[in-house]
């Protein structure tokens, strides 16, 4: 079953690209099949879903036994379905390119999240980056070629740094799979150069996740990319770096503090750059796509906070792991829905300049409701998906903390001090999201909003599909995964 999660989108992309099959229809069939297979694999009993599968006799094993695999596979199949169903290409030729790129991006993400082999894990991610660069360069908004080359340089260099870190780690641990590395750690083997390895891993993974100050490629890339690619990259592929860090932390267990601990205080400073500095930049944006791109970068700071809290506790912080997994799932669904709605707004008004809209809720009340729902989820409103993850992360930062009797604040450590500042990110998020809603959907109907007509059935299906899971996971967070 896990092999078919990889093969189905590849075969569909081949049919579209080589056999000239209808782009959107073929991709939609593939998205439905992978959605059904993915949900089935996730919901099967543990003994079935954790079985390893070998691809064509090669030493590439796909598994859902890794800590975050189920969560990330769930996120990938959900966002892939919505991205393809809601796809609106400008013409038939572009539709085929969009469909093939979305399918390959989904394939790379699924392969990376299910690979036990560390080189396959890296390789699948690199496969997923290629359609992102191509689509931005060919079909992006604005100065698309400059943006595509900038993203290529950032992510290409980060990937080389990451590969160096992984190769050194695997060589020193004499293990090339996550499962073998876990056994090596349990046998008492430790890396000989932990500071170098962890520095390379944090720099490589961090740049791929857009950790401050290596974040400047991300927001322009998401803003420029066609809607399905922005949904899949910002919502799914961006979590690759965080997935890798948490997976390695789980592999090393109590030794993860010795591996990453030397960089933890610096990481706390950098993640505050994501939350506060990028949050301020987000407030200043006038275009909706730029605002959403920077918002996505900002929220990565909270998940890095969970990683820092986990390292500070030497791997013994279950709440940090659960909070990070929930927020990765929730953020992926929320930002994908917001980019989907931004694409629908652009198709209706022919602009993404927020000040030139206004009153769009009068013309399209359903669109206004859906955007408001996704926006409130993004700022962490209770009973919507993001709240459980963010709340868990903030609480996890106080795991093992013992207050003093004279002054509580004097007993704060670096992680607790970081939380005090990071909480202001919630205020910043509320400011930019509510201002965006007011500019786009309230007040008098603007000249561009006058052009709006009703949404199509595919628009509504894709948006309501994501909205359903945002509400479901807000009421019933999938902690059992």
């Amino acid at each position: 079953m896990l092999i078919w999660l990889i093969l189905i989108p590849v075969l569909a992309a081949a049919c579209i690209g080589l056999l000239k099959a209808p782009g959107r229809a073929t991709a939609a069939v593939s998205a439905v099949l992978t959605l059904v297979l993915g949900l089935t694999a996730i919901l099967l009993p543990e003994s079935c879903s954790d079985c390893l599968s070998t691809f064509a006799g090669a030493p590439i094993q796909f598994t859902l036994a890794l800590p975050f695999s189920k969560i990330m596979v769930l996120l990938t199949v959900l966002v892939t379905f919505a991205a393809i169903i809601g796809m609106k290409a400008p013409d038939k030729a572009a539709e085929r390119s969009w469909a093939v790129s979305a399918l390959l991006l989904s394939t790379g993400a699924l392969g990376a999240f299910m690979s036990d082999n560390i080189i396959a894990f890296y390789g699948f991610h690199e496969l997923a980056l290629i359609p992102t660069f191509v689509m931005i360069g060919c079909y992006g908004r604005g100065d698309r070629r400059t943006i595509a080359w900038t993203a290529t340089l950032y992510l290409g260099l980060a990937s080389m740094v990451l590969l160096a870190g992984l190769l050194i780690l695997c060589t020193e641990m004499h293990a090339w799979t996550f499962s073998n590395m876990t056994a090596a750690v349990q046998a008492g083997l430790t890396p000989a150069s932990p500071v170098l390895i962890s520095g390379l891993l944090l720099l490589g993974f961090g740049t791929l996740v857009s950790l401050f100050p290596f974040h400047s490629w991300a927001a322009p890339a998401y803003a420029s990319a066609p809607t399905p690619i922005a949904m899949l990259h910002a919502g799914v592929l961006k979590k690759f770096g965080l997935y890798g860090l948490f997976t390695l932390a789980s592999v090393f267990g109590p030794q993860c503090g010795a591996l990453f601990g030397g960089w933890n205080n610096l990481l706390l400073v950098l993640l505050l750059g994501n939350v506060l500095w990028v949050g301020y930049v987000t407030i200043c944006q006038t275009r909706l796509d730029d605002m959403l791109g920077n918002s996505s970068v900002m929220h990565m700071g909270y998940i890095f906070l969970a990683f820092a809290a986990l390292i500070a506790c030497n791997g013994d912080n279950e709440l940090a792991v659960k909070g990070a997994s929930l927020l990765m799932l929730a953020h992926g669904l929320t930002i994908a829905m917001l980019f989907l709605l931004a694409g629908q707004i652009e198709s209706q008004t022919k602009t993404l300049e927020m000040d030139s809209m206004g009153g769009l809720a009068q013309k399209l009340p359903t669109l206004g409701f859906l955007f408001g729902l996704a926006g409130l989820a993004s700022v962490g409103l209770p009973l919507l998906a993001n709240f459980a993850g963010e709340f868990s992360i903030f609480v996890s930062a106080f795991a093992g903390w013992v207050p003093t009797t004279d002054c509580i604040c004097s007993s704060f450590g670096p992680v607790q001090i970081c939380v005090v500042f990071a909480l202001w990110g919630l205020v910043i998020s509320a400011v930019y999201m509510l201002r965006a809603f007011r500019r786009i959907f309230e007040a008098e109907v603007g000249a561009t909003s006058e052009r709006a007509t009703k949404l199509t059935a595919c628009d509504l299906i894709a948006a309501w599909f994501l909205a359903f899971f945002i509400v479901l996971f807000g009421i019933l967070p999938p902690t059992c995964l």
Side-chain angles (χ1 to χ4, degrees):
M1 183 179 298
L2 301 184
I3 292 175
W4 284 105
L5 280 174
I6 306 295
L7 290 180
I8 287 174
V10 170
L11 293 174
C15 289
I16 297 170
L18 301 178
L19 303 180
K20 309 301 182 183
R24 186 172 182 178
T26 306
V29 172
S30 170
V32 171
L33 290 176
T34 53
L35 176 64
V36 173
L37 283 176
L39 293 177
T40 303
I42 291 167
L43 297 175
L44 280 176
E46 194 74 15
S47 58
C48 294
S49 61
D50 287 352
C51 289
L52 297 178
S53 302
T54 304
F55 175 64
I60 300 176
Q61 294 180 310
F62 302 118
T63 177
L64 294 180
L66 299 173
F68 282 9
S69 287
K70 290 184 179 180
I71 284 285
M72 300 313 299
V73 168
L74 174 62
L75 172 62
T76 305
V77 296
L78 293 178
V79 174
T80 299
F81 176 83
I84 290 177
I85 295 299
M87 184 171 60
K88 280 186 174 180
D91 53 55
K92 288 295 181 180
E95 182 180 282
R96 299 164 67 83
S97 299
W98 287 31
V100 170
S101 298
L103 290 169
L104 292 179
L105 208 162
S106 177
T107 300
L110 287 168
F113 296 140
M114 295 192 301
S115 291
D116 184 50
N117 184 290
I118 294 175
I119 300 304
F121 158 78
Y122 173 86
F124 273 109
H125 174 261
E126 296 307 295
L127 167 67
L129 289 180
I130 296 172
T132 301
F133 303 145
V134 173
M135 290 298 288
I136 293 174
C138 295
Y139 297 101
R141 305 182 187 91
D143 189 5
R144 61 182 187 271
R145 295 189 178 180
T146 300
I147 293 171
W149 277 112
T150 301
T152 301
L153 290 174
Y154 265 94
L155 298 183
L157 291 173
S159 295
M160 288 190 285
V161 172
L162 173 60
L163 181 60
L166 291 175
L167 290 176
I168 296 172
L169 176 64
C170 292
T171 301
E172 293 189 0
M173 296 296 292
H174 305 291
W176 296 89
T177 66
F178 290 116
S179 54
N180 288 344
M181 191 171 292
T182 302
V185 172
Q186 293 172 350
L189 187 63
T190 57
S193 49
V195 176
L196 172 63
I197 291 172
S198 59
L200 292 173
L201 293 176
L202 285 171
L203 179 58
F205 280 131
T207 303
L208 296 177
V209 183
S210 63
L211 176 65
F212 182 90
F214 310 106
H215 67 287
S216 58
W217 65 270
Y222 301 149
S224 178
T227 298
I229 304 304
M231 293 173 65
L232 283 164
H233 198 119
V236 177
L237 195 63
K238 189 175 191 163
K239 312 303 185 297
F240 168 82
L242 293 162
Y243 171 85
L245 288 173
F246 276 96
T247 300
L248 288 173
S250 70
V251 165
F252 280 86
Q255 296 186 31
C256 68
L259 179 61
F260 292 101
W263 299 98
N264 214 34
N265 289 339
L266 176 60
L267 179 61
L268 291 170
V269 174
L270 297 183
L271 71 87
L272 282 179
N274 278 76
V275 174
L276 299 179
W277 176 255
V278 180
Y280 172 75
V281 172
T282 308
I283 290 179
C284 298
Q285 301 304 310
T286 59
R287 284 180 57 91
L288 179 58
D289 51 356
D290 291 330
M291 189 205 79
L292 295 179
N294 283 282
S295 169
S296 178
V297 174
M298 173 192 174
H299 279 81
M300 294 302 98
Y302 298 132
I303 310 178
F304 275 112
L305 176 59
F307 183 73
L310 178 66
I311 299 305
C313 295
N314 292 316
D316 186 19
N317 194 337
E318 184 180 359
L319 192 58
V321 175
K322 287 188 175 181
S325 65
L326 290 175
L327 188 53
M328 281 196 281
L329 174 62
H331 174 268
L333 294 174
T334 304
I335 197 65
M337 182 173 174
L338 286 169
F339 272 117
L340 173 67
L341 297 176
Q344 294 177 3
I345 290 172
E346 184 180 29
S347 68
Q348 296 287 334
T349 64
K350 309 305 178 186
T351 183
L352 286 173
E353 289 289 345
M354 292 185 283
D355 288 333
S356 66
M357 299 182 202
L360 191 57
Q362 299 179 39
K363 301 286 291 185
L364 297 171
T366 302
L367 182 60
F369 172 80
L370 290 169
F371 189 94
L373 177 70
L376 291 175
S378 179
V379 303
L381 187 73
L383 297 182
L384 295 176
N386 292 49
F387 173 77
E390 291 180 0
F391 182 78
S392 299
I393 289 172
F394 290 137
V395 174
S396 73
F398 290 86
W401 172 70
V402 179
T404 57
T405 56
D406 52 347
C407 179
I408 293 179
C409 294
S410 64
S411 62
F412 279 3
V415 178
Q416 290 79 44
I417 294 173
C418 182
V419 170
V420 173
F421 288 99
L423 284 169
W424 285 99
L426 301 178
V427 179
I428 294 172
S429 298
V431 170
Y432 67 67
M433 194 58 69
L434 294 176
R435 285 177 63 187
F437 184 87
R438 177 176 58 83
R439 291 177 178 181
I440 298 171
F441 293 100
E442 295 184 348
E444 296 295 327
V445 178
T448 57
S449 298
E450 285 286 357
R451 307 169 183 166
T453 57
K454 66 178 182 178
L455 299 174
T456 66
C458 289
D459 290 337
L460 294 172
I461 290 172
W464 280 111
F465 177 80
L466 292 175
F468 171 78
F469 285 100
I470 288 173
V471 175
L472 176 64
F473 295 150
I475 298 172
L476 297 171
T479 54
C480 59
L481 299 179

